Amino acid sequence: MSLLPGLRGSVSKRISLLLIALSFALTSLALPFCAAAQSAGSLRGRVTDPTGALIPGATVSLTAGATALHVQSASNGTYIFKTVPPGSYTLEADAPGFAHFTRAKVVLASGQARELSIPLVIATEQQNVEVTSHTAGVSTNAEENSSAVVIKGNDLDALSDDPSELQNELQALAGPSAGPNGGEIYIDGFSGGQLPPKSSIREIRINQNPFSAEFDRIGYGRIEILTKPGSDKFSGHVSSIGSQSSWNTADPLVKQQPSYYLWFAQADVNGPLNKHASYFANFFHTDRQNQAIIVAVNPANTSATINEAVPNPAFYTAASPRVDFQLGKSNTLSIRDAFNRFTSTGNGPGQLNLPEQASNVSNTENDIQISDTIVVNTHLINETHFQWRRIRNSMVPSFLTPTVTVEGAFTTGGSNGGAPRDHQDDFELQNYSTANLGAHTLRFGARLRSYRDANYSSAGANGSYFFTSVLQYLAGTPAQYQATVIQNPLARALLFDGALFYQDEWRFRPYLTLSDGLRIETQNRIHDHADFGPRLAIAWAPWHQGTKPPKTVIRAGYGWFYDRFTVPTSFGGGGAPYLIQAIHNNGINQWQYVVNNPSFYDPTKAAPPSSIVGATGSIPTIYSIDPHFHAALSMQGGIGVDQQIRKLTFNVSYLFTRGIHQYFTDNITAPDFDPSTYSLTSTTPSVYNYQFQSGGIFMQQQVIVSANLRLKKFSLNGNYTYNIAHSDTQGVNFIPSVAQNPSLDYGRPSFGITSRLFFLGTWNLPHSIILAPLIAAQSGTPYNIVTGSDLTGNNQFNARPTFGTCGTANVVSTPYGCLDANPVGKGEQIVPFGLGTGPANFVMHMRVSKAIGIGPRIKGANGNNQMQGNTGVNGRGLSAGQAPPKIDAEVPRKYSLTLAVAAINAFNIVNLGPPNGTLSSPLFGKSQSLASGPFGSPVAGNRFIVAQANFSF
């Protein structure tokens, strides 16, 4: 039943007006309560040096406007402000020989007793003060769970400078999120969009406050990226990164490999515009002479294989200017424009796809983000964020001949993707508020999103021939021919979704924090319009006396999380790809015809539409959306322990996640199939109807161990995940092997990797040398084994074999038993879904950098050899916590030159991807690609060496 009766027609407009009204109503209602809560709070903590030793006699200040409080740390290094009015403060600390410390936006609620320790840094060793978002040790605050990771400063050095590789590494560091859809990445609070170059990243937060109602997707696996603002001093960086094939080892899957190279150029500059504004601008360009590796059966000689590296050059350009304004004492405005352009020649070939499958791709994205933050009073902060993403994608195939596919062996001929053009405009508006009500900290607001997509497509017009075996290909008798008859190549769609949320963090006792929240989401174009997402979390510090930070915190949480059916993606995707497909293939704009066992075969040109429509066995195909479609829901609960032992903080958590209404695509008009006899029990339909449905499920259990170690010269972040998962869908494009019974595919999914391990570290050596290792390992990826034939009548070639009798006809001996590729009518047991397990992977990346000081020494205001970061609110709305982090080791000179060398896969370990799972293929059981993610290479080598030079001024 709909939450909003009569929500029809102008549904998007009504949703928008309602959400905006409710958000501002919540803000207005909070104001009188905020003004009424005026009882004083307190702030205490410890002042420590880089080794963790306590510092007595440090001057600690707490300021907010005209309010200024000052104390000195006691002989045991502790400080305390006993009576502090509620509000948002700037915390500062100074001690002889140490760099100035400052942290803005220290929010103290009415009656709250907050603890916040101050780590000071030796002035001569570092120019900028690095402040993590965590207190020293563990805390009961919801956003300070020790399973979270905050990466900034030196820790960024261990990560790749290539945005695509950086994304793989961050997802590995975040650990596997539950379910088939994975975690979400937010750029300055917005989902979607291109990952910015590392040089423009200020801070990365991973898995922070996983049960917060502010976010729609599951919190474990969430990655938040904050970009750099401007500063009050003119500075910048210019860097170049390069590699060539002669430095690297060859791809082990090919015998001969042409030369290749990789080159990056990056520059950024920031500084003041005037006393009320500052700027940051970044430019990034990549020239990548990449290669696609083909391992396939040779169509000209099917007894041989093709092992070939095909050129695949790509160019990527990004520019991102940002301006920050201080509009009065309590209003900060930021405007950021992120432009990205990607072009590539020869996209498409690789693994089984031969060079003829190539297409030329051009993708452009421009994101404009505007953020306005208003400090209403000492109890209420309101933030408004707006984003406009303009995306333009196009693809041109190299050949227009029909596609020819031999299942599990090779695909040749022209690309059946056609020459699509996609124009998308995405809009997002957020209004969030933070309020203090005594011991409660409230976070509430609304989010509105719209996706306008116009898509021109000629996909499938060239036709496709399918063969189930090499022998069938040699005989020239295809099992199927598919082609699309296009009446109207243009499809348009307009989608809206909206959300309201509130989150209450209640510091019930100094040792106990309770968090509860509720999120309400809705969207058009699907059946349900009201999705409720309750969130609940508790943090308890047993044995906590209240005078020192706790050493142990027990956490538990539970929440409902939804995945919208909009799937906004960046380059190559659209805000409404499945809806667009349903509009294209609706039987009016376009008809996709399937001809089983065609009497014709001509790989040089597409069959004329008249011969397709009237051919014997021709069946039209359409796509639709289930009229009872529901947003995918994941229900997750967990319990864990945060523990501090000296400089080591670690967390052990158990998570249980159950997913319902998960997405898949089903041929709902397929003939009936009896799994017990492996035979069809009804006739072929007159129309195939592929319907997007939401009836999938998954169950997943995870044990996650994460650790964070901070020493004077060494830091380490790491996690290990033990994972057990079962699902009957792999995502929205997954098609069940038996249309009438999707649950028969309930088994080990591709996201059911049992064990994952990841470490990221930095080691500060003498003479401004930094060593940054990255280690990743995982057990084998589950993969499905199929016959390569359509035996279940679902018009797919994904039927699974059965356990047969060894030595009999059509039975193949495999490491998983003797499997029958033609089990029709035999009554044998069907093998489980995800029966196969791919090879395990291990990789170690290593980066070594050396900083060289150039020019005169820098004198700080206190006479020490240091460069001061922004201190407090500096007239531009920027705090020291927002100052750009150092990219490498820094030296007390006006200029610095950093030279770095990185070895990707330093030990040259061959990490193979999942094997070929088509039982009828000559390549069955063989890996045709190297592993992806953090185990892969930025280009075509196996061990990849990168040299970098960075000049800072």
Side-chain angles (χ1 to χ4, degrees), residues 579-594:
L579 177 61
I580 286 291
Q581 187 174 2
I583 295 173
H584 274 311
N585 299 114
N586 61 2
I588 300 174
N589 294 332
Q590 299 181 13
W591 278 98
Q592 185 183 87
Y593 284 88
V594 174

Side-chain angles (χ1 to χ4, degrees), residues 275-583:
K275 69 177 184 177
H276 297 294
S278 60
Y279 68 91
F280 177 89
N282 177 275
F283 173 82
F284 181 87
H285 178 75
T286 302
D287 183 352
R288 191 191 309 265
Q289 182 59 50
N290 206 352
Q291 294 171 353
I293 306 301
I294 297 174
V295 179
V297 172
N298 188 345
N301 179 11
T302 56
S303 62
T305 59
I306 296 175
N307 296 77
E308 183 180 359
V310 180
N312 179 211
F315 303 89
Y316 174 62
T317 301
S320 181
R322 169 174 169 165
V323 182
D324 298 270
F325 301 92
Q326 182 69 40
L327 307 177
K329 294 182 180 181
S330 59
N331 191 357
T332 303
L333 177 69
S334 298
I335 302 175
R336 177 175 177 260
D337 183 12
F339 173 83
N340 302 272
R341 179 172 174 78
F342 174 82
T343 59
S344 179
T345 302
N347 262 28
Q351 300 185 41
L352 296 179
N353 294 334
L354 301 187
E356 297 79 17
Q357 286 282 291
S359 297
N360 297 333
V361 174
S362 175
N363 301 319
T364 302
E365 178 177 333
N366 194 44
D367 301 350
I368 297 177
Q369 298 176 347
I370 302 174
S371 298
D372 184 47
T373 301
I374 300 175
V375 180
V376 179
N377 55 38
T378 57
H379 306 283
L380 181 65
I381 298 175
N382 182 260
E383 308 165 48
T384 301
H385 309 282
F386 173 78
Q387 176 180 251
W388 171 30
R389 295 176 61 207
R390 183 179 184 271
I391 304 171
R392 301 293 184 264
N393 302 326
S394 65
M395 184 174 70
V396 179
S398 300
F399 296 90
L400 300 177
T401 56
T403 303
V404 178
T405 298
V406 178
E407 294 297 321
F410 64 84
T411 299
T412 186
S415 170
N416 62 6
R421 296 192 300 272
D422 187 79
H423 290 187
Q424 181 185 165
D425 291 281
D426 299 346
F427 299 90
E428 182 170 346
L429 176 64
Q430 304 171 355
N431 185 265
Y432 298 159
S433 296
T434 304
N436 294 322
L437 300 175
H440 296 261
T441 300
L442 298 180
R443 179 81 167 161
F444 54 92
R447 183 189 70 182
L448 302 174
R449 296 188 300 193
S450 70
Y451 312 97
R452 186 203 64 85
D453 202 350
N455 184 277
Y456 177 95
S457 176
S458 59
N462 62 321
S464 298
Y465 290 98
F466 294 90
F467 298 86
T468 61
S469 67
V470 171
L471 292 177
Q472 195 179 61
Y473 169 75
L474 293 175
T477 55
Q480 189 178 94
Y481 178 75
Q482 294 183 7
T484 302
V485 177
I486 299 175
Q487 301 295 329
N488 180 7
L490 183 62
R492 292 185 174 92
L494 184 62
L495 273 76
F496 294 90
D497 69 67
L500 288 169
F501 81 93
Y502 93 91
Q503 181 77 31
D504 178 14
E505 182 177 345
W506 179 21
R507 191 176 178 85
F508 182 70
R509 293 289 187 270
Y511 53 84
L512 182 64
T513 298
L514 304 175
S515 298
D516 65 276
L518 178 65
R519 187 175 183 88
I520 305 174
E521 299 181 6
T522 186
Q523 73 169 92
N524 66 341
R525 293 282 191 168
I526 66 174
H527 172 69
D528 72 303
H529 297 298
D531 298 315
F532 292 84
R535 313 286 168 85
L536 180 65
I538 182 173
W540 172 47
W543 317 295
H544 178 48
Q545 302 301 317
T547 58
K548 296 180 180 180
K551 299 294 184 181
T552 305
V553 174
I554 298 174
R555 295 180 181 273
Y558 180 78
W560 288 16
F561 304 86
Y562 292 90
D563 293 304
R564 306 314 319 164
F565 191 60
T566 50
V567 194
T569 57
S570 50
F571 287 174
Y578 312 116
L579 177 61
I580 286 291
Q581 187 174 2
I583 295 173

